[in-house]
Amino acid sequence: MILGRRKRIAPVSLYCSGYDSGYRRGIVPMSLVAGVLLLFSTSAFGSWSQVDEILTEAYGAQTARECSDYYSTLNIPDDQVAAVRGSIARLVEAGYPSGCPWEYLKLAADLSKAGIDLDDLTNKIREGIAKKVSPERLTRVIDDRVKALLEARVFTLKLVENKIKFLDRQMAYSVIADYLLRGVSQQELMASILEGKLEKYPALDSVIN
């Protein structure tokens, strides 16, 4: 964790809007690739400073400073810092513009504050990069995913209050988020779960005790 920096709100211009020259050309400097590979082989200790170096080389000192001023204030558990580092490294390596790592950082912070593991969001980042979706599309997809996960967490807590037990709470968030994103309403899910009728939602069988 970088110390001695005060919280500062990043300017709107940092937000992802379109492709930058690196993304259009699909060119990533070899030194940057080497730095990205280094991120995957190191421990969580010092991860933020390593991310700072990668962002500086990829997007310049000013953008890296804005990002580090933000993530230096985050209270993300050590076991999740590696996921943050890895996702940012993938975005940089794939040539996405600076707003995408910035948006990812904000969304990761929202999940962490809610006690939701970052594995689900990490998988979405990997999927989007593998499909070579545009920066705008990727930002929209991960934003929608995080909103669904946060909604799923609140919904899951309601079920717990109704004496429903879960085998894996984190997996439950992901499964319920999937159904919410498919357009299934909370009311439908609630009724089916409380009545024990999961034929329409078989994925819930793997997370409900």
Side-chain angles (χ1 to χ4, degrees), residues 72-191:
S72 65
T73 68
L74 301 182
N75 186 26
I76 293 179
D78 289 344
D79 62 346
Q80 294 286 290
V81 173
V84 174
R85 181 191 65 213
S87 291
I88 291 178
R90 290 185 183 92
L91 290 168
V92 169
E93 185 180 18
Y96 281 86
S98 61
C100 291
W102 169 252
E103 184 67 10
Y104 165 76
L105 278 169
K106 293 192 295 181
L107 294 172
D110 289 342
L111 291 183
S112 183
K113 290 174 184 175
I116 301 174
D117 289 347
L118 300 182
D119 293 345
D120 189 292
L121 185 57
T122 298
N123 291 335
K124 281 299 171 185
I125 293 288
R126 285 178 176 149
E127 181 182 333
I129 291 174
K131 292 180 178 179
K132 298 181 179 179
V133 301
S134 70
E136 296 88 352
R137 172 65 178 164
L138 182 62
T139 298
R140 188 162 57 251
V141 167
I142 63 175
D143 183 64
D144 289 344
R145 186 68 187 178
V146 168
K147 288 177 181 176
L149 286 168
L150 292 172
E151 187 177 346
R153 175 184 173 275
V154 173
F155 178 73
T156 300
L157 293 177
K158 291 179 181 177
L159 289 170
V160 171
E161 292 174 357
N162 281 278
K163 310 304 181 183
I164 299 297
K165 296 181 179 179
F166 293 90
L167 297 170
D168 187 325
R169 190 77 64 88
Q170 295 292 334
M171 183 62 71
Y173 300 153
S174 294
V175 170
I176 293 170
D178 284 340
Y179 284 122
L180 294 176
L181 287 170
R182 292 175 196 169
V184 180
S185 71
Q186 288 194 30
Q187 290 76 14
E188 292 176 81
L189 287 175
M190 180 69 77

Side-chain angles (χ1 to χ4, degrees), residues 31-42:
S31 59
L32 178 57
V33 174
V36 169
L37 293 176
L38 175 64
L39 289 178
F40 291 115
S41 63
T42 54

Side-chain angles (χ1 to χ4, degrees), residues 18 24 27 53 56-57 67 88 94 104 125-126 151-152:
R24 289 196 301 268
I27 298 173
E53 292 173 6
T56 298
E57 185 164 359
C67 285
I88 291 178
Y104 165 76
I125 293 288
R126 285 178 176 149
E151 187 177 346

